[in-house]
Amino acid sequence: MSAPDFEALAQPGIRRLRAYDPGHDLVALRRRFAEAQLVELGSNENPSGPSPRALAAAAAALPRMHLYPDPLGGDLKRALATHHRIDPARLLLGNGSHELLMQLAQVFAGPGDEVVASKYGFAVYALAAQAVGAELRLAEALPRTAAMPLGHDLQALHAAVGPRTRLVYLANPNNPTGTWFGAEAFARFLAALPARVLVVVDEAYAEYVDAPDWASALGWLERHPNLVVTRTFSKAYALAGLRVGYAIAHPGLIALMERVRESFNVNAVGLAAAEAALADAQHLAAAVAANAAGRAALAEGLRARGWTVFPSQTNFLLVRFGERAGALEAALLARGIVLRPMAGYGLGDCLRITVGSAQENARLLAALDEVAA
Ligand SMILES: *Cc1c(COP(=O)(O)O)cnc(C)c1O
């Protein structure tokens, strides 16, 4: 019996999709290079590693792995509610924030609806919209010559919102550009938007931000019930492997999202580690400080070599290498240095570089000198 035409059987939205590109096969690369020699700067992971308290909490949770995790995530939610000074009813936990970004589209958009995002916005927004059969409308980004090159153009985003728009996805700061938008511009954007349009602000890199003009969208939640903010333990808290993220929004919106949440979506080890990581403010501050210093030094090293480094408030840099980007990326990979190619984002002349440890950053610059010569 021959296989049916699965492509034809799939929903129209899924047929038009291409799977999320996670970058190079790191497991294969780790086998090829001795693990110690591979410099992994392709996935925005945190080289400081998790809090020792998170490690201990994870270890303590392991013997109970035969039990289902707390389906409510009650302890973590209470800790997050205290941390953000919000009602726990405003919280939804996710298996990473990626899951929540997808679920927002699942709940609030479908065929005939529109979802608005920015060009060079995080790739998951397009996936989320298309997976549910909604129409994706991409707003132009700010020009390369702007003060915030390739950043979100909030006016263009507003102009892209129409009567069929259900959701707007913004990232602040954004991946892969590293750019951010300021509080005043965001306040104007929100005020001009109809209340029926949900605004999702993805703040995966919020903990890293020190720009004085930036403010978390959390401050607008009370006045704008159409706002959803997503956060993650994957970046500054260094728990990417455990998959814990959360959304903060109006309790009514959260209650709807709960209807489609898989009952045990956050695992027991993740719940325990995230709660402990949240309690270790000192470790977080040290990781954020290390990133800020490393980011400044790496950007300076790259600029000194003539490359164009985009402004960043994250733990990575978008760097323009021009026509040589692809060849440089391949040559660095052959030397065990993994960066993220940007052709999938329409930025084939750029590479995205995670801020590594001082040692990793130095190895990158030395290898870059070799391959660029
Ligand atoms: C890394 C990242 C996420 C976080 O993904 P998780 O699923 O929480 O690991 C979300 N949004 C952006 C923009 C990111 O770069």
Side-chain angles (χ1 to χ4, degrees):
M1 197 170 105
S2 61
D5 184 350
F6 294 117
E7 191 71 26
L9 292 175
Q11 290 295 312
I14 305 291
R15 261 182 266 157
R16 282 181 282 138
L17 268 186
R18 246 192 313 151
Y20 178 77
D21 175 10
H24 293 290
D25 181 351
L26 289 165
V27 174
L29 284 167
R30 284 173 199 148
R31 276 190 199 122
R32 202 172 111 208
F33 294 86
E35 192 156 335
Q37 278 171 27
L38 195 65
V39 177
E40 298 183 22
L41 303 176
S43 299
N44 301 343
E45 291 144 340
N46 182 342
S48 295
S51 155
R53 288 163 67 171
L55 278 175
L62 285 176
R64 294 165 66 80
M65 67 165 76
H66 59 297
L67 302 178
Y68 278 108
D70 174 9
L72 305 173
D75 287 342
L76 177 57
K77 272 193 190 168
R78 278 185 288 276
L80 283 167
T82 304
H83 180 79
H84 289 296
R85 297 197 182 91
I86 53 164
D87 180 347
R90 286 183 173 273
L91 279 162
L92 181 73
L93 302 180
N95 191 253
S97 52
H98 187 145
E99 179 184 59
L100 300 173
L101 294 166
M102 300 292 288
Q103 271 175 15
L104 282 159
Q106 184 191 355
V107 172
F108 293 107
D113 298 329
E114 287 177 358
V115 172
V116 169
S118 177
K119 206 169 169 185
Y120 314 123
F122 189 43
V124 167
Y125 313 148
L127 269 178
Q130 288 167 343
V132 299
E135 198 74 41
L136 178 72
R137 288 197 68 183
L138 278 185
E140 271 306 318
L142 293 167
R144 285 185 186 240
T145 50
M148 198 58 75
L150 308 181
H152 288 1
D153 181 339
L154 295 180
Q155 285 178 345
L157 279 155
H158 181 254
V161 171
R164 293 191 297 148
T165 304
R166 295 302 181 98
L167 280 168
V168 182
Y169 284 105
L170 311 168
N172 196 25
N174 182 48
N175 173 16
T177 56
T179 52
W180 67 100
F181 48 83
E184 282 179 37
F186 182 63
R188 279 195 299 275
F189 172 79
L190 261 187
L193 220 55
R196 60 171 174 83
V197 177
L198 303 186
V199 180
V200 182
V201 184
D202 177 349
E203 297 189 338
Y205 300 93
E207 296 84 3
Y208 287 118
V209 175
D210 54 22
D213 65 332
W214 183 90
S216 169
L218 288 173
W220 281 280
L221 273 175
E222 293 281 351
R223 267 167 295 161
H224 295 277
N226 57 333
L227 189 58
V228 183
V229 180
T230 62
R231 295 277 184 109
T232 182
F233 282 93
S234 298
K235 305 288 159 58
Y237 287 103
L239 297 179
L242 293 182
R243 318 299 306 123
V244 188
Y246 57 101
I248 307 174
H250 188 278
L253 184 149
I254 297 293
L256 268 162
M257 295 279 288
E258 280 288 351
R259 293 183 193 175
V260 297
R261 182 178 68 85
E262 194 241 305
S263 44
F264 302 103
N265 62 331
V266 185
N267 71 80
V269 179
L271 287 172
E275 189 187 345
L278 191 68
D280 194 346
Q282 224 175 343
H283 184 83
L284 176 73
V288 167
N291 179 70
R295 183 176 67 202
L298 183 59
E300 193 181 293
L302 290 162
R303 287 195 181 109
R305 286 163 173 79
W307 310 116
T308 303
V309 181
F310 291 79
S312 170
Q313 281 286 298
T314 63
N315 67 341
F316 61 84
L317 297 170
L318 184 69
V319 185
R320 197 167 82 85
F321 291 96
E323 284 174 5
R324 300 179 67 194
L328 288 173
E329 197 267 334
L332 289 168
L333 189 63
R335 284 168 168 73
I337 296 176
V338 186
L339 306 183
R340 182 62 70 94
M342 286 286 109
Y345 276 96
L347 296 168
D349 60 338
C350 296
L351 298 172
R352 196 191 67 193
I353 306 176
T354 304
V355 178
S357 66
Q359 216 177 9
E360 289 173 323
N361 299 341
R363 272 196 58 194
L364 163 69
L365 290 175
L368 199 49
D369 287 339
E370 270 177 46
V371 302

